[in-house]
Amino acid sequence: MSSKKIRLSIIVLFFGLISIILFQKLDPVHASRTNSTLAIPAPVIMVPGTNGDVDRFDSLIDSLKQNQKNVDAIKITVNTDDSITATGKFTKKTQRPIIVIAFEDGSDPSLPKQSRWFQLALAYAEEQYTFNTYDYLGYSNGGLVITGYLENEQKNNDPSLNHLVTLGTPYNDTSWEYNTDSDTFTKPKAESDLLRYYLKNTQNIPKNITMYNIAGNVDKQNTDTTVPLTSVLAGRMIYGASEKYKEIIVDEDAEHSSLIENPETLDLLQNYLFESVK
């Protein structure tokens, strides 16, 4: 081979390597995936409420495991410096994967940040496993986390949300100053700053999702003892245009802290989010 051809080959190889390096820097999520990444069925992603940690859903997951086959869970905590702490893994035997996502700072003031941190956790999970869609269970402020994500943080290459369940989510805050003492909802007594924030970009929420909005009503007091019933039902103003939107009011084990273990909640999850697993 002539020296001229050798130099040309070296130049072509050099620019080929540069292209690969640039591609990895520009698209780190895509570049990190390999053919060996384990493909999993659509996971259920669970996010707790104020200051909840990744263990908040343990009793629920244990109950689900008694009625479902090959349920496995991984737990992801997003730290305030955007780093990820994760435990658990899925295997080829996993039929129904659960991803619990929590935040080092789960306080009320950090809610907008939590929506961004949720996107980081979702991207991390997709680096480890291949999935195109997911279902979501948000307890209390966990319902606001997904709302903020859908409105402001969702990326074009993120997996798509399919089913959404929120439990006791205070869409119009928790004060009676904003909420009517009633078991029906037409419009808010007044719009809280929280509700106004989540009404800003509702046009960004995909309309092809199905959504169950679950509220507790203890002893017909129109509250779950923490969140007024009409505050939860104000979620209709955000998700009412979804392909399927349904409100469910429970009165058995309906206290805010008990909604996750509520028998009706468990039955709903088994038949709605876990419908593909028999």
Side-chain angles (χ1 to χ4, degrees):
M1 182 181 292
S2 67
S3 60
K4 184 176 181 180
K5 288 183 178 180
I6 292 174
R7 286 196 301 271
L8 181 60
S9 297
I10 292 173
I11 292 172
V12 170
L13 179 61
F14 174 80
F15 280 104
L17 291 172
I18 291 297
S19 298
I20 292 173
I21 293 171
L22 287 175
F23 175 77
Q24 289 178 335
K25 288 184 177 180
L26 292 172
D27 193 4
V29 172
H30 185 276
S32 67
R33 296 183 194 169
T34 67
N35 292 332
S36 62
T37 302
L38 179 65
I40 59 173
V44 175
I45 297 179
M46 300 181 178
V47 175
T50 303
N51 295 322
D53 61 22
V54 289
D55 298 326
R56 181 64 180 88
F57 297 98
D58 282 359
S59 60
L60 171 62
I61 294 171
D62 288 342
S63 297
L64 291 169
K65 286 181 177 180
Q66 294 176 15
N67 297 287
Q68 303 289 341
K69 295 180 180 179
N70 298 320
V71 175
D72 294 312
I74 65 173
K75 298 178 177 181
I76 297 173
T77 298
V78 185
N79 303 306
T80 54
D81 63 358
D82 291 356
S83 64
I84 300 288
T85 303
T87 60
K89 66 177 182 179
F90 301 132
T91 70
K92 292 180 179 179
K93 293 183 179 180
T94 302
Q95 293 184 19
R96 201 39 162 156
I98 295 173
I99 302 174
V100 181
I101 297 175
F103 313 102
E104 182 183 15
D105 179 5
S107 64
D108 291 347
S110 75
L111 267 171
K113 292 181 180 180
Q114 291 173 45
S115 293
R116 183 180 67 82
W117 288 331
F118 174 79
Q119 197 283 326
L120 295 179
L122 186 62
Y124 171 84
E126 199 185 9
E127 288 177 6
Q128 312 305 313
Y129 303 97
T130 299
F131 57 99
N132 298 317
T133 62
Y134 65 95
D135 299 332
Y136 186 98
L137 172 65
Y139 167 64
S140 195
N141 277 1
L144 299 178
V145 171
I146 190 66
T147 304
Y149 161 76
L150 292 173
E151 291 184 350
N152 305 307
E153 303 294 344
Q154 187 173 23
K155 310 300 182 185
N156 290 334
N157 60 344
D158 284 349
S160 299
L161 175 64
N162 189 11
H163 300 99
L164 169 61
V165 176
T166 60
L167 302 172
T169 295
Y171 290 102
N172 195 27
D173 219 317
T174 60
S175 172
W176 290 108
E177 175 184 356
Y178 309 114
N179 297 286
T180 304
D181 185 0
S182 173
D183 61 357
T184 60
F185 175 82
T186 303
K187 62 180 182 179
K189 178 180 177 181
E191 291 184 1
S192 64
D193 290 342
L194 191 71
L195 179 60
R196 283 197 293 267
Y197 176 79
Y198 290 106
L199 287 175
K200 285 181 181 178
N201 294 314
T202 56
Q203 73 279 0
N204 294 334
I205 295 178
K207 297 300 183 287
N208 61 343
I209 63 174
T210 60
M211 197 274 194
Y212 277 54
N213 187 11
I214 301 177
N217 190 1
V218 176
D219 298 330
K220 298 184 179 181
Q221 297 178 41
N222 301 325
T223 177
D224 62 12
T225 68
T226 298
V227 182
L229 176 60
T230 50
S231 178
V232 178
L233 298 183
R236 185 189 310 167
M237 300 173 67
I238 299 170
Y239 290 102
S242 302
E243 185 175 281
K244 181 179 181 181
Y245 172 82
K246 185 174 182 179
E247 295 167 350
I248 297 176
I249 301 174
V250 298
D251 52 22
E252 180 182 351
D253 294 329
E255 292 83 2
H256 190 73
S257 60
S258 301
L259 283 174
I260 293 177
E261 288 79 22
N262 181 284
E264 193 167 349
T265 299
L266 180 61
D267 185 66
L268 173 67
L269 296 179
Q270 290 177 346
N271 291 286
Y272 180 53
L273 296 185
F274 284 66
E275 59 188 359
S276 62
V277 180
K278 304 297 181 183

